Amino acid sequence: MEKKENKHIGVRLTAVLVLFMCVLTCVTAQTRKVMNRPYIDQRRFHYGFLFGTHLQDIEFKQNGYTDEDGNQWFVEQPNYEPGFSVGILGDMYLTEHLSLRVVPTMHFGTKNLSFRNMTTKERSYMTMKSTYISIPLDLKYAAERFNNYRPYVMAGVNPVLDMTIKRQNQILLKSFDCYLEAGIGCDFYAPWFKFIPELKFCYGLCNIVSKKRDDLTDKSMLIYTNSVDGAHSKMIVLTLYFE
């Protein structure tokens, strides 16, 4: 039940952001206001910084592995802990509505895994600390600006390197991954800066489970690696940009 509820977090965050943008549109649709920083989007290059929060997830491909004692194992991520993200923003103007962004970012987070013996109902747990260094390359398509806000959609690719991979664990994950990402956001123009909340979803393209476990000194722990054929990582990221 807990995992099912957590799966709806991304949908709820998206609904909240979309509702907020719709309400803002309705409130201001009939009123023109003085525009803050009216020419900022026409600059060739824009720079800024960001911080935010995220959730890390792993989708395992189970294979029904049974060990020598007839025990079958199942691996899952039953709950989530919010992580912290920080980085810098580089934005290049392409057209009136289109820009190219490079956003070097560090994500600090935690994954909690549960290993369940389907025969004896025995459980064991594993906590993995992650420090991701990512350099996403995104295209941003923005709508027409109205007063001091401008909604947009974005999509891109995001190569990621995990700097905190630890050996001798039940599951060994590879350090490199590459995400496809897509999201929505809105530019808000203040008198002295631009504030940009954004919600995006990231799906890993690589199988991040390492099946070669030369690192293990206790070979009985191979049952956990053998119980999965692979896994793909996911992230939901809520970011606040200041430009």
Side-chain angles (χ1 to χ4, degrees):
M1 181 64 70
E2 183 177 2
K3 183 175 179 63
K4 183 177 180 180
E5 291 176 354
N6 279 306
K7 286 293 185 181
H8 295 295
I9 292 177
V11 176
R12 293 169 182 169
L13 289 174
T14 303
V16 169
L17 186 57
V18 171
L19 179 61
F20 174 72
M21 293 168 62
C22 290
V23 171
L24 183 62
T25 301
C26 293
V27 170
T28 61
Q30 304 301 322
T31 306
R32 287 287 180 178
K33 298 180 179 180
V34 176
M35 296 175 64
N36 296 321
R37 304 177 66 81
Y39 304 110
I40 186 173
D41 291 333
Q42 298 177 18
R43 293 179 181 175
R44 184 64 173 173
F45 297 102
H46 309 263
Y47 305 98
F49 65 93
L50 67 95
F51 65 88
T53 185
H54 69 273
L55 297 176
Q56 298 181 13
D57 188 18
I58 302 181
E59 181 181 339
F60 287 98
K61 183 179 180 181
Q62 314 288 336
N63 59 18
Y65 172 77
T66 302
D67 63 21
E68 296 177 353
D69 299 323
N71 297 316
Q72 190 176 74
W73 293 85
F74 180 83
V75 185
E76 63 180 347
Q77 183 173 346
N79 55 69
Y80 305 88
E81 294 185 19
F84 178 71
S85 304
V86 63
I88 56 177
L89 167 68
D91 186 297
M92 183 174 71
Y93 175 90
L94 298 178
T95 69
E96 181 181 355
H97 297 282
L98 195 64
S99 62
L100 180 66
R101 303 193 310 181
V102 178
V103 193
T105 307
M106 295 189 71
H107 301 283
F108 305 91
T110 302
K111 304 181 190 70
N112 298 307
L113 304 184
S114 171
F115 303 88
R116 184 167 75 248
N117 187 323
M118 303 300 290
T119 306
T120 66
K121 307 305 179 183
E122 172 191 355
R123 283 181 180 267
S124 61
Y125 299 92
M126 172 181 170
T127 298
M128 307 175 67
K129 300 291 185 181
S130 298
T131 300
Y132 290 146
I133 296 179
S134 68
I135 309 179
L137 183 65
D138 301 321
L139 281 175
K140 173 182 174 182
Y141 182 83
E144 291 286 346
R145 176 176 174 175
F146 184 85
N147 290 338
N148 289 311
Y149 72 91
R150 191 180 191 189
Y152 68 86
V153 295
M154 52 76 62
V157 295
N158 184 2
V160 173
L161 185 65
D162 191 346
M163 303 298 293
T164 54
I165 294 296
K166 291 186 177 180
R167 300 180 181 274
Q168 298 293 335
N169 281 328
Q170 294 97 318
I171 293 286
L172 177 63
L173 301 183
K174 299 175 183 177
S175 59
F176 177 79
D177 199 358
C178 185
Y179 290 106
L180 283 180
E181 56 183 29
I184 58 174
C186 190
D187 296 343
F188 292 93
Y189 301 81
W192 305 107
F193 62 90
K194 188 163 68 170
F195 170 63
I196 312 169
E198 177 185 278
L199 179 67
K200 68 179 179 181
F201 301 87
C202 310
Y203 184 82
L205 301 177
C206 303
N207 176 11
I208 59 173
V209 172
S210 178
K211 301 290 285 186
K212 187 177 181 180
R213 298 303 309 273
D214 296 337
D215 60 301
L216 286 178
T217 55
D218 182 2
K219 296 303 180 181
S220 66
M221 293 180 65
L222 278 172
I223 57 175
Y224 304 109
T225 299
N226 292 336
S227 65
V228 295
D229 285 337
H232 292 273
S233 60
K234 301 176 182 179
M235 280 204 302
I236 301 174
V237 187
L238 178 61
T239 306
L240 302 178
Y241 296 91
F242 294 86
E243 183 182 311

